[in-house]
Amino acid sequence: MRGKVQILRTSLRFWKSDLTYCPGSWLPTCLPSSYVRFDIIRRILTRVFGCNIVMVMGITDVDDKIIRRAAEMNVSPASLASLYEEDFKQDMAALKVLPPTVYLRVTENIPQIISFIEGIIANGHAYPTAQGNVYFDLQSRGDRYGKLVGVVPSPVGEPAATDKRHAGDFALWKAARPQEVFWASPWGNGRPGWHIECSTLSSLLFGSQLDIHSGGVDLAFPHHENEIAQCEAFHRCPQWGNYFLHSGHLHVKGREEKMSKSLRNYITIKDFLKTFSPDVFRLFCMRSSYRSAIDYSDGTMLEAKHLLLGAAAFVGDARAYMKGQLVCGPVRDDVLWERLRHTKEAVKAALADDFDTPAAVDAVMELVHHGNRQLKAHAQEPSGPRSPAVFGSIVSYVEQFFETVGISLADRQSVAGDSSRATLHSVVDELVRFRLRVRQFALATGAATREARQQQLLDRQPLLEACDTLRRDLVAHGISIKDRSSTSTWELLDQRTEDRRPGS
């Protein structure tokens, strides 16, 4: 999707390339720039351009790797795939990636896949073999194969594939091998090929036309190219997909290879979130085009973190100025209003130009820079009038921009396990202990007579009410205090980390 974004209609059909589990060994999910980048694009289409996105993700829950790994672990392929799927969903939620409108699993749609293959055969673009395989006949496509890559690489035959008509033909249905999971079909027991899964599942929801298809650049050929061939052969349409968005890979800085489990050069999502917040990773992704490869390092992550902290600090200073808590010299309202207008136009133009997020971020940070220049603290009250309105508008726009792409400035980028979290625990510990001492004093009745004890409780009632008010107010900040008979405990109710995390 190069050039300006032209919204032809407000409801777009968005297919996210399928998720294949089980890379051959039990490893946590790698840090995925592709999913975050496309989540940002989805949010931009929805919240900036007003599109209603129907996004579907296919889940490959049976393939060679899953079958092999399940056999090694002595579990069923279905249970293993389900385990990986749930782990993936939790990791995506931790990165603030919106879930798709619907997930479609391969194993739940085998009859539909078989019917799709039958349609391609009937239209003259595929053939079954005596060994029970079904292949797509690439020669039937003529020169229409290769839309995405232009020049088609030399075909590489599949391992032990001896019943093809042509070396480049690819499998739609694979005959079952001994001790493999299989389904019955008109061609014998077997299971679907990888490429046919996406074509069938997307067609189930979107029919003969797809607006946007996304995936990593390595999927352009042969996976997406084969999807195009299958869908146009089945639907007999001249063009199935309108746009294919391919994201660049996440690289370890200083190396050319992508970050991946197979190369053992990866960082897991869970490990990453011990050091940086998901907001930092989002801004890191936005500082380069979604098409380009992106270098990962602690240095580049710290740069993104400092940019976010700078934006958050400006918002805090601007709010203090609006409240009269920050005394500044005369503010050039006209300059700031013009800068805000220019920023809004620049950001929208950048996002409409193939989702140019680096240019959009630069424009917003330039606005923050100009705002900071006007917030020069003075020791004495300025003689000119204050200008809270323009700063209110700028703060609202800056926060709205970051919220649009799923970034919150309010979190201050603290993460579980860092020093700020440890400090928070210590402060809450002290607060709860102090509240406990106040509460115990208010409840203690050392007077001899009943009337004297009642009078003490009445006199100390405001202290108990203050303790109760503090307990209720802290719930809004995700802290729950539990009063026991002789002590008080607390726990975090932070959904971004854990539902309930005990304190002291």
Side-chain angles (χ1 to χ4, degrees), residues 28-49:
T29 308
C30 292
L31 192 61
S33 61
S34 175
Y35 289 99
V36 172
R37 282 170 150 179
F38 289 128
D39 181 74
I40 291 169
I41 289 177
R42 179 186 178 187
R43 291 171 185 261
I44 291 170
L45 286 170
T46 302
R47 301 174 185 182
V48 177
F49 298 108

Side-chain angles (χ1 to χ4, degrees), residues 257-274:
E257 73 268 11
K258 70 175 183 178
M259 184 182 290
S260 70
K261 296 175 183 176
S262 60
L263 296 175
R264 302 283 179 168
N265 63 349
Y266 65 95
I267 180 173
T268 68
I269 295 173
K270 292 178 176 61
D271 286 342
F272 172 85
L273 292 177
K274 294 176 182 177

Side-chain angles (χ1 to χ4, degrees), residues 69-229:
R69 182 57 177 159
E72 293 172 358
M73 298 175 64
N74 196 28
V75 298
S76 70
S79 62
L80 182 61
S82 177
L83 182 64
Y84 273 90
E85 179 184 340
E86 184 58 32
D87 189 57
F88 167 82
K89 289 177 179 177
Q90 291 181 9
D91 283 337
M92 291 301 100
L95 290 176
K96 301 168 71 170
V97 174
L98 298 173
T101 310
V102 64
Y103 294 99
L104 291 178
R105 297 177 186 84
V106 169
T107 58
E108 296 174 355
N109 291 277
I110 297 297
Q112 292 82 354
I113 293 174
I114 292 173
S115 178
F116 201 90
I117 295 173
E118 289 178 320
I120 296 176
I121 294 174
N123 291 340
H125 293 281
Y127 58 91
T129 70
Q131 296 182 19
N133 298 303
V134 179
Y135 296 101
F136 189 93
D137 186 356
L138 272 188
Q139 290 197 357
S140 70
R141 288 282 291 171
D143 59 2
R144 297 181 63 196
Y145 186 74
K147 289 185 177 184
L148 297 180
V149 295
V151 178
V152 178
S154 300
V156 178
E158 297 182 9
T162 59
D163 56 344
K164 294 182 179 181
R165 291 178 183 173
H166 317 290
D169 294 350
F170 56 89
L172 304 182
W173 186 261
K174 295 182 177 183
R177 293 191 286 253
Q179 298 182 339
E180 279 192 352
V181 60
F182 63 84
W183 289 264
S185 80
W187 319 286
N189 294 335
R191 55 188 172 86
W194 176 33
H195 312 299
I196 196 65
E197 299 168 359
C198 289
S199 294
T200 302
L201 297 181
S202 61
S203 294
L204 287 176
L205 265 74
F206 300 135
S208 62
Q209 191 174 54
L210 182 69
D211 293 299
I212 299 174
H213 195 315
S214 68
V217 66
D218 57 329
L219 295 180
F221 185 87
H223 185 50
H224 291 172
E225 202 71 70
N226 290 350
E227 283 186 74
I228 293 173

